[in-house]
């Protein structure tokens, strides 16, 4: 299924970029302190990597249902109501990921028109925004899949964060 | 009021020279329009600094201001004023660049808003932790800057450290930077005076930063002719000069405080160092010229107008 | 609709959605978007959502969050937290209540990882509670220690919640981290004293504890070394001005990795698991930060937060009275919500008020974190207590609250000290 494929690809990609981000910052600091030459454009590289980490992570957190919420009504609710509330939550998350996706898409078009570049490396910002949009699409797909799967039990429920 | 004119303000510090000047401008419009336009200046930032221009273009607000270097590549013709040694004062520089925009760039930049003025900050000074009087002293120093300042800092022999002004204090306190290119007033408003005891001035400034003050085009078009005329009368080179003057006043105040402080030392470059600096600035100027000529601009004519 | 009506609508929507168990980040985003849409139309709403999406994605400062979470995950998975627990119990061995003290220390470290004392109470409760049961600890002391322990780690740097507070309010994260050190250590000491007092007053509440020889005590020190050196590297580096917080986070990851590899306790699998777990936590934070930024933009557009702040200041009440009222509200609300959610939800409105009153934003950040964390163990509603109840259903709720009350009293004492003497928090800056 294309949704699952997108999620897995995003998961692997996010993890790789997160590792690269740590290394990038490490090299930047070493460069500045020891060789007195920081990595040129390190800030914009970090920002670009962060877009992947944040949106890719959003995909993962949605998948493993880790979002913070008030649960006391949920706990008291009957099984039927709990399903309703769960679907409502999933619908809300789908709306938000869709909003993020739409917003990034809209920004991508507008930044392409204005031709803004990053300050040091002169990378076209619209390409970066467009890439972020693609990851947001993966988040939308995951949220939609959660909402429309009749029984969520085929998906892992909130894996404990620290196993 | 018939019309609400909201001015977005990315620097809501109520004491900032431009905040003060914009409030003055707002009062003037309120009064001269007999209350038909109600102008308000924001006290908090909407969105990100880099998004301020689009904020106006999209009509989220009716007017606002922001720095040109935040959107690299978008306004590079108007950024000519940021080149070294072009701005004797913010007032003069602001008037001049707005005139130049009207004459040379109006069909190329700021075409999607009603540009009210381009203004600049007071001539840039080099503030450092260690004494600097020539490029030799700058060798290996880490200088915080943005935009075209990066190439300039490098041409001066320093290492450029790029970060937002709001992080300057942290960068200097933590040794991430050893100095900064900044207008005088910013030294006080970003609380840097304890960190930077040495200041090096050059005639007409090391650099400056250009800012736009722009209005949403649709909003302008929606005004009746008499109110449009009112806005026209309160925009252009003289309004730019007014904004620049406010900045000059703030800079002069900080400069005189610092000059009176025995912990600080203000130096001016010697004529030999100045000619060395001018030599070093040639690549920066040539780079702008190439970009401008590629867009069909008579770059030499534009540069010559600065010395008129 | 007027701006006031729409603001009321947005706040009602927000509360309603939250009560229906909809994720807080989504509740904030949807209600703020609706408000902007009604007042300013589709173009503005879609522009703002795009700007905010760009802001949470391409954000340099926020990279501290995933990096510190990753560092903590690596440290935990390489066994550094477990070593700390064991090292402490050897070090305190023979002392009455030593296991409870070790639990406090371990919970502190664990919460430092997750940034959430709620997650800590749930996760470590499963390990520490059976252990203390085995050594004859009373249910009250055992559960109380677990519920309270996690709240230490949330404040002691690296503190995820302080990073988010710093990004939202444009307060220096270094200053926040440095300012958190003394209140954090105070908490560690006060909690330890609390345990000493509790076991003296109620000797039956703790087992005797196996005495350890001096040699055993000394052998505990290397076990503590990894975690302590990681902490010292980060705080020392920040305090001495060697690192910015971002650099400290990047270094922390590499350093935790190196220690793990030297100890030969970090496998490839551990590393991959740490990365994956980090993305799950980061994604949770991404949604809630997105919601908070949307809400902030709604308030700035309507100017509602400034209006409210001006209105409150116009009462001319003594600033301390207003501050204490705000803190009381936080203490009550803090009972229901994890701290990160609590802070993000309220900062758009509360911060301008506190600023108007003239309080130091660094000091307020520290006080805020302490208050919302205290809320989480406040009888009779604190959310941490319910989390523990779900792990040990046989223990009565009233017993857990009885156990947590001495720690709560300790927290309130410390809070009072920090409010009366702001210098305790600020003098390291
Ligand atoms: Na922490
Ligand atoms: Na809380």
């Amino acid at each position: 299924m294309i949704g699952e494929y997108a999620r897995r690809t995003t998961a692997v990609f996010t993890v790789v970029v997160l590792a690269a981000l740590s290394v990038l910052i490490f090299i930047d600091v070493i460069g500045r302190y020891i060789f007195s030459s920081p990595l040129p454009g390190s800030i914009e590289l970090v920002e670009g990597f962060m877009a992947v980490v944040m949106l890719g992570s959003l995909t993962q957190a949605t998948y493993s249902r880790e979002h913070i919420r008030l649960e006391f009504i949920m706990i008291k609710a009957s099984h039927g109501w709990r399903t309703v509330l769960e679907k409502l939550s999933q619908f809300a998350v789908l709306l938000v990921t869709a909003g993020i996706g739409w917003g990034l898409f809209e920004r991508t078009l507008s930044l392409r028109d204005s031709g803004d570049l990053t300050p040091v490396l002169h990378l076209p910002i619209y390409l970066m925004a467009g890439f972020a949009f693609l990851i947001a699409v993966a988040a939308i797909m995951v949220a939609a899949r959660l909402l429309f799967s009749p029984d969520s039990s085929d998906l892992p429920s909130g894996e404990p964060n620290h196993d | 009021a018939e019309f609400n004119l909201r001015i977005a303000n990315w620097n809501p510090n109520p004491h900032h020279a431009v905040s003060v000047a914009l409030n003055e401008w707002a009062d003037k419009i309120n009064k001269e329009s007999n209350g038909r336009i109600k102008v308000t200046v924001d006290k908090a930032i909407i969105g990100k600094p880099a998004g301020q221009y689009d904020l106006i273009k999209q009509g989220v607000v009716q007017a606002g201001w922001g720095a040109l270097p935040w959107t690299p590549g978008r306004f590079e013709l108007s950024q000519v004023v940021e080149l070294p040694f072009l701005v004797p004062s913010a007032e003069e520089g602001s008037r001049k660049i707005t005139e130049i925009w009207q004459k040379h760039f109006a069909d190329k930049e700021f075409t999607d808003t009603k540009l009210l003025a381009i203004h600049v900050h007071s001539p840039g000074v080099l503030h450092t932790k260690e004494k600097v009087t020539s490029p030799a002293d700058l060798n290996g120093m880490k200088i915080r800057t943005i935009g075209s300042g990066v190439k300039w800092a490098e041409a001066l022999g320093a290492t450029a450290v790029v970060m937002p002004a709001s992080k300057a204090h942290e960068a200097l306190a933590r040794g991430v930077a050893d100095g900064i290119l900044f207008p005088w007033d910013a030294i006080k408003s970003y609380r840097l005076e304890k960190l930077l005891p040495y200041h090096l001035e050059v005639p007409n400034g090391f650099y400056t930063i250009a800012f736009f003050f722009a209005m949403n085009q649709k909003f302008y078009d929606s005004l009746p002719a008499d109110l449009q005329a009112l806005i026209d009368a309160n925009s252009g080179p003289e309004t730019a000069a007014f904004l620049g003057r406010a900045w000059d006043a703030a800079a002069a105040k900080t400069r005189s405080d610092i000059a009176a402080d025995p912990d600080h030392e203000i130096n001016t470059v010697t004529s030999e160092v100045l000619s060395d600096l001018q030599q070093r600035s040639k690549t920066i100027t040539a780079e702008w010229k190439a970009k401008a000529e590629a867009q069909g601009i008579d770059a030499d004519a534009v540069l010559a107008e600065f010395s008129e | 609709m007027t701006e006031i009506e729409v603001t009321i609508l947005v706040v009602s929507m927000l509360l309603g959605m939250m009560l229906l168990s909809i994720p807080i980040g989504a509740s904030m985003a949807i209600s703020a978007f609706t408000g902007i849409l009604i007042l300013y139309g589709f173009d503005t709403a879609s522009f703002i959502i795009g700007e905010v999406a760009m802001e949470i994605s391409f954000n340099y400062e926020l990279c501290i969050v995933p990096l510190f979470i990753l560092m903590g995950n690596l440290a935990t998975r390489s066994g550094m937290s477990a070593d700390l627990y064991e090292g402490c119990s050897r070090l305190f061995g023979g002392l009455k209540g030593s296991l409870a003290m070790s639990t406090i220390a371990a919970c502190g470290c664990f919460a430092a990882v997750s940034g959430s004392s709620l997650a800590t109470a749930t996760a470590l409760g499963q390990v520490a509670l059976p252990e203390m049961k085995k050594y004859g600890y009373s249910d009250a002391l055992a559960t109380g220690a677990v519920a309270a322990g996690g709240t230490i780690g949330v404040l002691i740097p690296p503190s995820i919640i302080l990073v988010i507070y710093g990004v939202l309010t444009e307060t220096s994260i270094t200053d926040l981290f440095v300012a958190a050190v003394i209140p954090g250590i105070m908490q560690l000491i006060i909690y330890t004293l609390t345990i000493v007092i509790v076991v003296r007053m109620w000797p039956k509440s703790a087992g005797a504890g196996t005495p350890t020889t001096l040699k055993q005590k000394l052998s505990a020190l290397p076990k503590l070394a990894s975690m302590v050196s990681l902490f010292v590297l980060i705080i020392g580096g920040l305090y001495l001005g060697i690192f910015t917080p971002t650099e400290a986070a990047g270094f922390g990851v590499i350093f935790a990795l190196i220690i793990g590899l030297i100890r030969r306790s970090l496998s490839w699998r551990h590393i991959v698991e740490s990365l994956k777990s980090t993305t799950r936590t980061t994604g949770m934070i991404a949604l809630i930060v997105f919601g908070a930024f949307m809400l902030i933009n709604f308030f700035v557009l309507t100017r509602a937060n400034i209006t409210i702040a001006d209105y409150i200041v116009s009462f001319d009440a003594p600033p301390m009275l207003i501050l204490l009222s705000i803190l009381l509200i936080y203490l009550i609300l803090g009972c229901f919500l994890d701290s990160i959610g609590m802070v993000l939800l309220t900062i758009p409105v509360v911060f301008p008020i506190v600023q108007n009153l003239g309080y130091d934003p660094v000091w307020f950040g520290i006080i805020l974190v302490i208050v919302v964390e205290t809320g989480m163990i406040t009888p009779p509603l604190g959310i941490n207590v319910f989390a523990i109840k779900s792990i040990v259903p046989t223990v009565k709720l009233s017993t857990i609250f009885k156990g947590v009350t001495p720690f709560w009293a300790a927290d309130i004492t410390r809070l009072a000290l920090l409010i009366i003497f702001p210098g305790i928090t600020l003098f390291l800056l």
Side-chain angles (χ1 to χ4, degrees):
Chain A
M1 187 176 166
I2 187 163
E4 181 58 12
Y5 182 74
R7 185 192 69 78
R8 288 190 181 199
T9 312
T10 311
V12 173
F13 189 55
T14 309
V15 158
V16 170
V17 172
L18 175 59
L21 179 66
S22 325
V23 175
L24 176 71
I25 289 176
F26 188 73
I27 291 176
D28 185 36
V29 185
I30 296 282
R32 193 174 58 240
Y33 278 101
I34 300 181
F35 306 107
S36 185
S37 72
L39 219 56
S42 59
I43 291 189
E44 49 211 66
L45 285 178
V46 168
E47 286 179 351
F49 283 30
M50 267 303 279
V52 175
V53 170
M54 292 299 269
L55 296 165
S57 293
L58 180 62
T59 313
Q60 291 321 108
T62 300
Y63 180 69
S64 49
R65 282 170 270 164
E66 297 239 347
H67 296 308
I68 301 181
R69 54 185 182 178
L70 278 179
E71 283 190 317
F72 54 87
I73 287 189
M74 190 72 118
I75 291 164
K76 297 259 186 274
S78 69
H79 179 77
W81 275 110
R82 202 176 298 176
T83 311
V84 172
L85 291 176
E86 196 63 62
K87 286 291 156 204
L88 210 56
S89 272
Q90 290 166 356
F91 179 61
V93 173
L94 175 62
L95 274 183
V96 174
T97 48
I100 291 175
W102 163 254
L104 289 173
F105 178 69
E106 218 259 342
R107 288 277 78 200
T108 304
L109 294 185
S110 142
L111 286 164
R112 196 191 54 188
D113 290 346
S114 55
D116 288 3
L117 306 171
T118 62
V120 178
L121 301 176
H122 297 288
L123 309 168
I125 296 177
Y126 86 91
L127 284 182
M128 296 169 81
F131 196 68
F133 164 71
L134 288 183
I135 302 172
V137 169
I140 298 169
M141 283 159 101
V142 167
R145 196 166 142 238
L146 274 183
L147 178 63
F148 295 118
S149 66
D151 176 17
S152 307
S153 60
D154 59 321
L155 302 164
S157 66
E159 300 167 54
N161 204 359
H162 305 282
D163 28 319
Chain B
E2 288 171 53
F3 300 94
N4 282 312
L5 199 181
R6 176 177 191 162
I7 302 179
N9 187 1
W10 67 274
N11 192 337
N13 173 357
H15 307 296
H16 191 277
V18 178
S19 270
V20 174
L22 287 178
N23 275 298
E24 241 176 81
W25 188 88
D27 291 343
K28 193 158 178 270
I29 301 289
N30 284 334
K31 211 165 104 200
E32 291 176 7
S33 71
N34 291 320
R36 289 170 63 202
I37 304 181
K38 186 180 166 224
V39 193
T40 47
V41 182
D42 272 3
K43 291 179 188 167
I45 311 171
I46 307 173
K48 298 203 291 182
Q52 299 300 298
Y53 188 76
D54 290 339
L55 207 64
I56 302 161
K57 192 177 92 182
Q58 300 271 342
V60 176
V61 290
Q62 288 73 48
W65 71 298
L68 271 50
W70 287 336
T71 50
R74 219 193 276 202
F75 308 119
E76 51 193 15
L77 293 177
S78 305
Q79 282 183 272
V80 60
V81 67
E82 299 180 355
L83 291 173
F85 317 124
L86 289 185
V87 175
S89 67
E91 177 175 3
E92 273 314 301
S94 302
R95 180 184 288 119
K96 187 67 87 181
I97 184 59
T98 304
E99 283 169 3
I100 289 175
W101 172 80
Q102 288 179 336
K103 192 165 155 196
H104 298 277
F105 312 146
D107 58 339
K108 292 204 163 61
E109 288 181 352
F110 300 102
T111 50
D112 43 13
T113 55
K114 160 83 181 163
L115 184 72
L116 302 174
I118 303 177
H119 63 104
V120 298
H121 70 50
S122 59
V125 179
L126 178 63
H127 312 269
T128 47
K129 291 179 179 173
E130 306 293 336
K131 185 166 173 172
V132 171
T133 51
S134 72
D137 302 329
L138 263 176
N139 219 323
M141 268 197 182
K142 291 167 287 199
I143 301 297
R144 180 270 167 192
T145 176
I146 57 164
S148 49
V150 175
K151 291 241 167 70
W152 186 205
E154 279 161 4
L156 290 170
T159 303
V161 178
V162 182
M163 56 176 60
S166 55
K167 296 284 161 273
H169 187 277
E170 178 122 31
L172 290 160
R174 308 281 143 198
V176 174
D178 309 310
I180 192 164
L181 284 163
F182 243 176
W184 275 111
D185 59 294
I187 294 302
K188 275 264 159 81
S189 52
Y190 290 100
R191 299 177 295 122
L192 306 178
E193 67 268 32
K194 289 212 173 67
L195 300 171
L196 300 169
Y198 297 98
H199 314 273
L200 184 65
E201 292 181 315
V202 296
N204 293 350
F206 270 99
Y207 81 108
T208 190
I209 296 285
F211 301 82
F212 60 81
F213 175 34
M215 180 177 275
N216 177 266
Q217 188 68 50
K218 267 195 204 148
F219 175 77
Y220 177 79
D221 294 341
S222 74
L223 296 174
D226 59 329
L227 291 180
Q228 280 186 351
L230 174 65
I231 296 297
D232 289 345
N234 286 287
S235 59
E238 285 318 307
T239 299
F242 156 76
L243 291 165
R245 205 150 52 232
W247 213 316
D248 283 333
K253 164 108 186 43
T254 302
R255 192 190 183 280
S256 74
D257 288 351
I258 283 187
D261 185 336
D263 293 339
H264 286 267
E265 186 178 323
I266 303 177
N267 295 297
T268 313
V269 292
T270 61
S271 57
E272 289 130 57
V273 171
L274 182 60
S275 58
D276 178 17
L277 293 177
Q278 278 162 342
Q279 197 59 37
R280 287 167 184 263
S281 74
K282 279 192 175 146
T283 51
I284 318 283
T285 306
E287 212 172 287
W288 179 83
K289 266 179 69 173
K291 277 187 208 159
E293 278 162 4
Q295 295 198 45
I297 300 289
D298 185 352
D300 284 317
V302 170
L303 288 170
E305 281 182 35
F306 277 100
S307 38
E308 273 167 18
Chain C
M1 283 172 95
T2 67
E3 287 176 357
I4 294 173
E5 285 165 359
V6 174
T7 305
I8 292 169
L9 173 80
V10 165
V11 172
S12 323
M13 251 183 97
L14 173 61
L15 294 177
M17 289 172 78
M18 279 169 50
L19 282 175
L20 290 174
S21 314
I22 289 173
I24 297 164
S27 306
M28 288 194 274
I30 292 171
S31 48
F33 183 83
T34 308
I36 297 172
L37 190 65
I38 295 173
L39 280 174
Y40 306 101
F42 182 75
D43 283 352
T44 295
S46 106
F47 175 77
I48 295 285
I49 203 170
E51 278 290 287
V52 174
M54 292 289 284
E55 179 155 18
I56 63 141
S57 313
F58 295 90
N59 194 313
Y60 181 78
E61 282 204 289
L62 276 179
C63 82
I64 306 169
V65 171
L67 291 180
F68 272 138
I69 296 173
L70 177 58
M71 178 193 86
N73 275 316
L74 287 169
T76 306
R77 283 196 166 68
S78 69
M80 281 154 74
S81 303
D83 271 10
L84 188 86
Y85 187 55
E86 209 193 311
C88 285
S89 50
R90 273 195 224 167
L91 202 63
F92 297 133
L95 210 65
K96 221 166 150 48
S98 65
L99 267 184
M101 291 172 195
S102 311
T103 301
I104 295 277
C107 282
C109 282
F110 204 90
V113 175
S114 62
S116 161
S117 64
L118 186 63
T120 304
T122 321
L124 259 183
Q126 287 158 354
V127 186
L129 290 176
E131 188 77 5
M132 284 191 276
K133 186 112 191 151
K134 201 165 89 190
Y135 285 95
Y137 278 64
S138 72
D139 286 337
L141 180 58
T143 53
V146 173
T151 66
I152 298 178
V154 170
L155 181 66
I156 290 183
S159 166
I160 306 298
I161 189 168
L162 286 178
V163 174
I164 292 172
Y165 174 87
V167 170
L168 243 67
T169 62
E170 301 197 332
T171 307
S172 157
I173 293 165
T174 304
D175 287 357
L176 288 166
F177 276 12
V178 170
V181 171
I182 289 181
I185 291 174
M186 258 174 92
Q187 188 178 14
L188 204 57
I189 294 170
I190 294 183
Y191 276 10
T192 309
L193 284 176
T194 307
I195 295 170
V196 170
I197 294 169
V198 167
V199 296
R200 181 154 295 189
M201 288 174 73
W202 296 280
K204 279 192 183 149
S205 63
T210 335
T212 46
T213 63
L214 183 65
K215 201 174 154 199
Q216 278 173 315
K217 283 188 205 296
L218 288 177
S219 76
L221 295 179
K223 293 226 167 243
L224 303 176
S226 317
M227 202 57 136
V228 170
S229 58
L230 197 57
F231 176 78
V232 168
L233 172 90
I234 290 167
I235 295 304
L238 283 171
Y239 183 63
L240 295 175
I242 302 170
F243 296 139
T244 64
T246 317
E247 296 169 351
F251 252 81
V253 170
I254 303 293
F255 198 66
L257 189 70
I258 292 172
I259 296 180
L261 292 176
I262 291 174
R263 290 162 44 108
R264 294 170 177 281
S265 56
L266 202 57
S267 67
W268 179 245
R269 220 187 86 104
H270 286 141
I271 297 174
V272 173
E273 277 303 311
S274 301
L275 286 161
K276 278 161 83 176
S277 167
T278 301
T279 62
R280 290 196 295 270
T281 313
T282 305
M284 174 268 277
I285 290 172
L287 182 71
I288 197 161
V289 171
F290 177 78
F293 273 123
M294 285 298 292
L295 202 58
I296 287 177
N297 273 288
F298 169 78
F299 281 130
V300 172
L301 278 168
T302 58
R303 300 183 172 125
N305 56 350
I306 306 257
T307 312
I308 295 169
D310 287 347
Y311 179 71
I312 288 177
V313 170
S314 74
F315 282 130
D316 246 1
M320 186 50 84
L321 188 70
I322 300 176
L323 181 82
L324 289 178
S325 320
I326 291 174
L327 294 183
L328 186 66
I329 295 170
Y330 266 119
L331 191 66
I332 296 166
L333 291 179
C335 295
F336 303 102
L337 206 54
D338 207 359
S339 320
I340 290 182
M342 193 65 240
V343 167
L344 283 169
L345 185 66
T346 52
I347 274 302
V349 176
V350 170
F351 190 70
I353 300 174
V354 174
Q355 244 183 341
N356 264 8
L357 294 174
Y359 285 104
D360 185 292
V362 173
W363 174 81
F364 181 71
I366 306 295
I367 297 291
L368 175 61
V369 172
I370 294 173
V371 172
V372 290
E373 281 297 321
T374 306
M376 297 180 74
I377 59 168
T378 298
L381 292 167
I383 186 176
N384 277 8
V385 171
F386 289 90
I388 287 173
K389 168 76 181 165
S390 71
I391 304 170
V392 278
T394 49
V395 179
K396 278 198 287 189
L397 209 53
S398 58
T399 308
I400 308 179
F401 273 120
K402 210 180 103 197
V404 100
T405 301
F407 295 102
W408 182 83
D411 272 346
I412 296 291
T413 311
R414 177 177 58 135
L415 193 59
L417 284 173
L418 295 176
I419 292 174
I420 299 168
F421 307 108
I424 300 175
T425 309
L426 296 175
F427 95 102
L428 276 185
L429 296 185

